[in-house]
């Protein structure tokens, strides 16, 4: 399995206009996750909005449509993918998932453990997820699609690839989970980004029409 996870980088946003006229922040959740190969992922969400930031590519989803705006800080480009399109493109697919098994406490949250084999007979996957973090169904669907699991499993907090011929790899590890106020501007696309046709152009700046999903799949 190619782990479809979000990779780490900082996402910087500024308030537009006079702070006195800024919309009041909403309470939401901030999750900081790390990967051995892909670095840092930061996820912020409220009941209506989500922003996931990473080094390779980031995404914003906002109610009521929950279309996904993927953007790249390096190339200063973005692409808009309708909800129906990303849900179909990044569907979890079929996995022989076993579980739930008793999990461990991660960042203060109880988890359940799941496992599944891969096409490589020397490799398998272990996942820990929690259902104790409130998240609207469309946002949960998007987060789950990043690593190809059913949304019913819950919020993924830890993921490891196990090998029988070399050391295991940590693909996802949650460091902190905080409930806090999140400004509405956190869910706005930064200014000065150019719209492109697909994810390929986000990464390489080319004109390839096929698109790719290195961010998700």
């Amino acid at each position: 399995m190619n782990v479809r996870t979000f990779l780490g980088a900082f996402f910087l946003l500024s308030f537009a206009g006079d702070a006195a006229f800024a919309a009041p922040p909403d309470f939401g959740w901030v999750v900081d996750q790390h990967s051995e190969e892909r670095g840092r992922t930061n996820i912020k969400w409220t009941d209506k909005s989500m922003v996931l930031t990473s080094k390779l590519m980031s995404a914003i989803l906002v109610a009521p449509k929950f279309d996904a705006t993927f953007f790249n800080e390096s190339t200063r480009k973005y692409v808009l993918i309708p909800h129906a399109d990303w849900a179909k493109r990044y569907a979890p697919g079929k996995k022989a998932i076993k579980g739930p098994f008793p999990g461990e406490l991660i960042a203060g949250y109880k988890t359940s453990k799941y496992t599944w084999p891969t096409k490589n007979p020397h490799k398998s996957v272990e996942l820990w997820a929690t259902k104790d973090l409130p998240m609207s169904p469309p946002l949960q669907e998007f987060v789950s699609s990043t690593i190809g699991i059913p949304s019913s499993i819950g919020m993924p907090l830890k993921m490891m690839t196990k090998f029988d011929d070399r050391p295991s790899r940590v693909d996802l590890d949650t460091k902190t989970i905080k409930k806090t106020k999140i400004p509405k501007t956190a869910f706005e696309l930064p200014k000065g980004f150019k719209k492109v046709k697909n994810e390929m152009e986000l990464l390489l700046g080319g004109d390839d029409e096929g698109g790719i999903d290195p961010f998700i799949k």
Side-chain angles (χ1 to χ4, degrees), residues 1-8 33-41 43 52-57 142-148 156 159 169-173 213-217:
M1 165 186 166
N2 294 319
V3 178
R4 303 182 292 179
T5 184
F6 297 97
L7 316 173
Q33 299 180 330
H34 290 250
S35 163
E36 286 184 1
E37 289 193 335
R38 297 171 175 82
R40 182 182 180 224
T41 300
I43 308 174
L52 303 95
T53 63
S54 74
K55 184 177 181 179
L56 179 64
M57 206 184 299
F142 187 81
V143 170
S144 298
S145 73
T146 66
I147 54 176
M159 189 175 193
R169 182 183 68 220
V170 178
D171 296 303
L172 179 69
D173 188 18
D213 26 291
F215 177 51
I216 302 277
K217 193 172 185 177

Side-chain angles (χ1 to χ4, degrees), residues 123-139:
K123 182 173 72 172
S124 62
V125 178
E126 296 183 351
L127 172 78
W128 291 259
T130 184
K131 294 184 178 180
D132 292 342
L133 284 169
M135 186 177 286
S136 65
L139 298 180

Side-chain angles (χ1 to χ4, degrees), residues 28-32 45 102-113 128-134 155-158 174-180:
W29 300 86
V30 178
V31 175
D32 187 45
W45 78 90
E104 59 189 80
L105 197 67
I106 299 176
Y109 284 81
K110 295 180 180 179
T111 66
S112 295
K113 181 181 177 180
W128 291 259
T130 184
K131 294 184 178 180
D132 292 342
L133 284 169
M155 176 71 178
L157 297 186
K158 184 177 179 180
T174 297
K175 299 299 184 180
T176 61
I177 300 174
K178 299 178 181 178
K179 185 176 183 180
T180 185

Side-chain angles (χ1 to χ4, degrees), residues 92-93 95 97 116 127 129 140-141 144-145 147-156:
K95 291 181 176 66
I97 298 177
W116 62 87
L127 172 78
Q140 180 65 69
E141 179 186 12
S144 298
S145 73
I147 54 176
I149 61 172
S151 58
S152 59
I153 286 180
M155 176 71 178

Side-chain angles (χ1 to χ4, degrees), residues 15-24 184-185:
F15 291 98
D18 192 323
F21 298 99
K184 295 182 185 299
T185 49

